[in-house]
Amino acid sequence: MHSRSFEIVTVGGGLGASAFAGAMAKKGVRVLILEKEAQFKDRVRGEYIVTWGVAEARELGIEAALLNSCGTAIPFVEMGFGPRNLIETTALQLAGVSFFHPEMQETLLREAESAGAEVRRGVSVTNVQPGANPSVMVANNGREERIFARLIVVADGRGSAARKWAGFSLKTDPHPFHFAGVLLTGVSGRKDICNFVFNPEFGLVGGLVPQSKDRFRAYLGYATDGSFRLHGGEKLGAFLAQSQKVGPMFRDCYTQAKSLGPLAVFDAGYFWVDHPYRDGVALIGEAAAVSDPSFGQGMALTLRDARVLRDALLSDSDWDDAGRKYARQHDTYFHNTRTVCCWLRSLFQEQGPEADARRQRAMPRPFARARSLVRRTGIADG
Ligand SMILES: Cc1cc2nc3c(=O)[nH]c(=O)nc-3n(C[C@H](O)[C@H](O)[C@H](O)COP(=O)(O)OP(=O)(O)OC[C@H]3O[C@@H](n4cnc5c(N)ncnc54)[C@H](O)[C@@H]3O)c2cc1C
């Protein structure tokens, strides 16, 4: 069966695809979203958008929908040096926003649908064909259908199969860190602070992101040689015990905590495609570039991809040209983000005498204060 009635088809219906598709549909473009999950479940994904990502969400017209349904504005961030008020101290004067990822996906798919996009759920894309007349193959209940469009937007996430089918090659810069996450309830912690605290002494980073309905997404990043994985429910005790070493606020907050979902671990590092456009196929979100979750820039980057691609397509009737323009911009802002996050990694995560000396030179007072807090609370022995 053949169909030519869509200008854009997205592979996936996550944050990137639905934000982009909704924004294009609002401009009258005929968009089809193909999402394999009939119902979203907890995959342990990003649940805190940093302020520049919130600005992108505003630009895409989805900030209000997020805040009115699943999202919570989080005005403070704590990195172990005292709470920082983001509204008062950032150029954008915005709070961060948190949500439960599956609820955000449902919200944004609904938004895209009400803007005019067609959404098909429970269907899997099985191939992508770039070219002058690009297309996707879709499997639905044992039947296969080829769908043509002017542009295919691949947004199938960090393990993207579609980028491989479309002939893109992946570059990798793995870091010797793992990043684990689990959804908890019963945590004693402030509901207006997102905690991302680094403890270079142990090579740890602890994250605690409050959400609605007394839920908290807890993260733990740790240095590894690959032999130790905090993965699976039976490792929850070890996850919570290791988290206590991060800093004073993590010592008592988990005493009554219970898990509400899977405990999953991921490799940290960078995995990306240079120039994520070719022959009628554009990659966005984690299909284009995965950033180190320790620094929480992934959703902001994904929303920027959606906005930059939208703007390129709306300002140029030659979509091949627009795709290339998007890809050039993507290369610049992704590599700028990567460069800064790698500096932060050297400063906040690396261990050993050389890294200690670097911290001492760059930020003597905050690190001295953090170290003395750790000693006073006896966390190092715990
Ligand atoms: C542990 C962890 C913590 C993170 N923490 C943060 C954070 O605090 N802040 C932050 O900004 N970012 C964070 N991130 C990154 C964030 O989760 C991603 O940037 C974001 O989810 C990327 O969105 P996406 O739309 O590209 O991909 P996804 O959210 O993965 O969506 C892809 C969609 O495509 C669908 N799909 C896949 N294959 C097919 C197919 N063949 N056919 C049809 N549909 C398909 C999937 O079902 C899914 O719905 C974190 C990531 C991890 C792993």
Side-chain angles (χ1 to χ4, degrees):
M1 191 173 143
H2 290 253
S3 161
R4 297 179 72 99
S5 60
F6 296 101
E7 290 164 278
I8 294 175
V9 171
T10 73
V11 182
L15 174 72
S18 52
F20 168 75
M24 292 305 288
K26 272 185 206 148
K27 298 291 177 185
V29 177
R30 294 188 309 280
V31 191
L32 171 65
I33 298 175
L34 299 168
E35 167 55 51
K36 73 174 176 191
E37 301 295 340
Q39 196 172 5
F40 294 117
K41 52 185 183 299
D42 185 3
R43 293 175 295 148
V44 187
R45 284 295 188 276
E47 301 195 322
Y48 174 74
I49 311 189
V50 291
T51 53
W52 69 272
V54 176
E56 294 292 359
R58 185 174 285 184
E59 280 287 313
L60 287 158
I62 54 172
E63 184 201 12
L66 289 174
L67 286 172
N68 293 336
S69 56
C70 55
T72 307
I74 309 283
F76 293 96
V77 70
E78 168 65 83
M79 292 188 69
F81 312 129
R84 175 181 174 192
N85 186 323
L86 295 169
I87 298 170
E88 287 173 5
T89 65
T90 57
L92 295 164
Q93 300 186 310
L94 287 170
V97 170
S98 80
F99 40 65
F100 181 46
H101 201 101
E103 289 173 4
M104 173 276 291
Q105 282 189 276
E106 295 292 351
T107 299
L108 294 189
L109 273 187
R110 267 199 313 274
E111 279 293 298
E113 204 162 20
S114 59
E118 182 173 327
V119 180
R120 292 190 199 162
R121 309 255 325 237
V123 297
S124 270
V125 174
T126 56
N127 210 342
V128 174
Q129 189 65 53
N133 204 7
S135 64
V136 294
M137 284 299 283
V138 190
N140 186 9
N141 283 332
R143 290 179 52 216
E144 287 230 301
E145 181 184 0
R146 181 176 294 280
I147 301 177
F148 292 87
R150 207 174 149 195
L151 178 72
I152 309 296
V153 174
V154 169
D156 56 346
R158 57 191 289 129
S160 175
R163 77 177 158 223
K164 204 166 153 200
W165 299 327
F168 291 93
S169 52
L170 191 66
K171 298 218 164 155
T172 63
D173 173 18
H175 292 173
F177 283 88
H178 280 163
F179 199 73
V182 62
L183 190 68
L184 299 175
T185 190
V187 172
S188 59
R190 272 174 63 174
K191 302 274 168 56
D192 58 349
I193 292 190
C194 170
N195 294 277
F196 257 89
V197 179
F198 292 84
N199 183 330
E201 205 160 339
F202 300 109
L204 294 172
V205 49
L208 191 57
V209 182
Q211 303 179 357
S212 59
K213 304 177 196 164
D214 191 34
R215 295 171 299 188
F216 286 79
R217 176 66 71 185
Y219 296 116
L220 182 71
Y222 55 97
T224 179
D225 57 5
S227 59
F228 175 54
R229 287 178 73 78
L230 287 170
H231 194 81
E234 71 283 2
K235 296 279 174 60
L236 184 66
F239 174 96
L240 298 177
Q242 287 292 318
S243 299
Q244 292 186 337
K245 293 186 184 170
V246 172
M249 67 96 27
F250 287 91
R251 197 159 70 156
D252 303 319
C253 68
Y254 290 146
T255 45
Q256 305 291 321
K258 288 193 189 68
S259 73
L260 292 172
L263 169 62
V265 74
F266 300 85
D267 296 333
Y270 292 83
F271 310 93
W272 73 97
V273 167
D274 279 337
H275 200 79
Y277 173 82
R278 65 178 287 253
D279 299 331
V281 179
L283 312 182
I284 66 169
E286 289 204 317
V290 173
S291 59
D292 183 343
S294 318
F295 301 100
Q297 304 298 305
M299 292 191 292
L301 280 165
T302 297
L303 292 172
R304 175 155 294 180
D305 293 354
R307 198 261 305 159
V308 170
L309 182 59
R310 176 200 68 179
D311 291 351
L313 296 170
L314 293 178
S315 62
D316 192 339
S317 58
D318 178 345
W319 278 11
D320 202 39
D321 199 38
R324 286 193 294 268
K325 207 179 288 166
Y326 154 72
R328 283 195 298 274
Q329 287 191 56
H330 184 277
D331 283 354
T332 303
Y333 59 73
F334 169 67
H335 287 294
N336 287 345
T337 307
R338 177 168 163 245
T339 301
V340 172
C341 289
C342 287
W343 290 339
L344 293 175
R345 186 174 95 80
S346 303
L347 202 53
F348 286 102
Q349 284 184 306
E350 278 176 14
Q351 291 175 281
E354 208 180 301
D356 286 341
R358 190 182 309 123
R359 278 187 277 279
Q360 192 53 37
R361 276 199 310 279
M363 303 174 75
R365 279 197 300 180
F367 277 109
R369 185 166 165 267
R371 259 201 312 275
S372 91
L373 268 175
V374 168
R375 283 206 193 92
R376 279 212 307 277
T377 50
I379 284 164
D381 312 323

